[in-house]
Amino acid sequence: MLFRRSSCDYLIVGLGNPGAQYEKTRHNVGFRALDALAREAGAKPDRAKFQALTCLCDVGGLRALLLKPQTFMNNSGLAVRQAADYYKLPPERVLVLFDDVDLDVGRLRIRRDGSAGGHNGVKSIISCMGSQAFPRIKIGVGAKPHPDYDLADWVLSRFSARELELLDPAIERAASAAQVILREGLERASSLFNGK
């Protein structure tokens, strides 16, 4: 498939909820990873556009729009669809960074595509884009402490000091993985970062 060149080669989305009260929760590691990527690129996603905070910058030698939806997690797909439509980007050029309760804190998993796996932000993107064929970087935030623990309460909880020791380097690795995906491809990134 020929890629139609535009002023933006890639859309990189960090998932989270807007507002200071959600900043340090498990559900917001996508926002944190996107901020880390922006810092490395010398940029800051602070321009309000597409119902999101955005910035254009160079990532891995390509022009990328970094996007933090401000629609709350369950409607993340609205912002993603608007941005992808504007830049005429196919799903394969939309990279999504988000939290995963099925991975231990600090572990990463890179995937080319797949189902939502119960993640409401990803579910919204699949619904709005009409496709699940977008690459993603899952960032482990740990499983619920016991089966009866409410999942919504868990993902909106904060990390312990011990967990942060594992998470903070993982945030930086997720940002590095995004750069490798754009520069060298998904397979290379998977071999370097999956399970780490």
Side-chain angles (χ1 to χ4, degrees):
M1 177 177 133
L2 283 174
F3 171 62
R4 183 173 171 182
R5 184 89 183 161
S6 70
S7 57
C8 177
D9 301 306
Y10 243 97
L11 175 59
I12 305 179
V13 183
L15 294 186
N17 285 308
Q21 69 271 36
Y22 298 110
E23 244 172 54
K24 297 185 177 177
T25 64
R26 294 172 197 276
H27 228 13
N28 272 41
V29 297
F31 273 10
R32 292 176 64 183
L34 196 82
D35 286 338
L37 182 59
R39 277 194 304 276
E40 288 183 24
K44 185 175 185 183
D46 57 5
R47 182 170 180 225
K49 193 172 182 181
F50 310 120
Q51 298 184 70
L53 294 176
T54 71
C55 65
L56 273 166
C57 59
D58 290 322
V59 177
L62 296 175
R63 197 75 175 146
L65 181 77
L66 307 190
L67 182 133
K68 294 166 69 174
Q70 298 297 292
T71 52
F72 286 95
M73 187 65 83
N74 293 0
N75 291 313
S76 299
L78 299 172
V80 175
R81 177 66 189 264
Q82 285 178 42
D85 283 354
Y86 181 84
Y87 288 109
K88 299 179 172 58
L89 295 172
E92 297 80 13
R93 290 266 172 164
V94 178
L95 174 62
V96 183
L97 292 71
F98 61 95
D99 59 290
D100 190 329
V101 297
D102 293 325
L103 293 174
D104 292 339
V105 175
R107 289 178 77 84
L108 300 182
R109 184 169 293 149
I110 297 167
R111 290 286 179 263
R112 181 175 302 282
D113 53 29
S115 69
H119 193 288
N120 287 335
V122 177
K123 196 180 297 179
S124 174
I125 295 171
I126 290 171
S127 173
C128 291
M129 296 283 286
S131 171
Q132 58 184 28
F134 51 88
R136 67 274 317 255
I137 301 174
K138 303 177 180 187
I139 304 162
V141 297
K144 298 186 296 181
H146 53 82
D148 296 337
Y149 203 106
D150 183 71
L151 183 59
D153 288 343
W154 178 243
V155 295
L156 294 177
S157 70
R158 294 180 177 228
F159 295 94
S160 68
R162 173 71 188 118
E163 286 175 323
L164 286 173
E165 289 176 17
L166 300 169
L167 181 74
D168 290 342
I171 295 291
E172 301 300 324
R173 286 199 310 277
S176 297
Q179 294 176 59
V180 173
I181 288 171
L182 269 62
R183 188 173 58 241
E184 301 177 53
L186 208 75
E187 285 76 15
R188 175 70 175 150
S190 296
S191 71
L192 289 174
F193 295 97
N194 267 357
K196 303 269 188 325

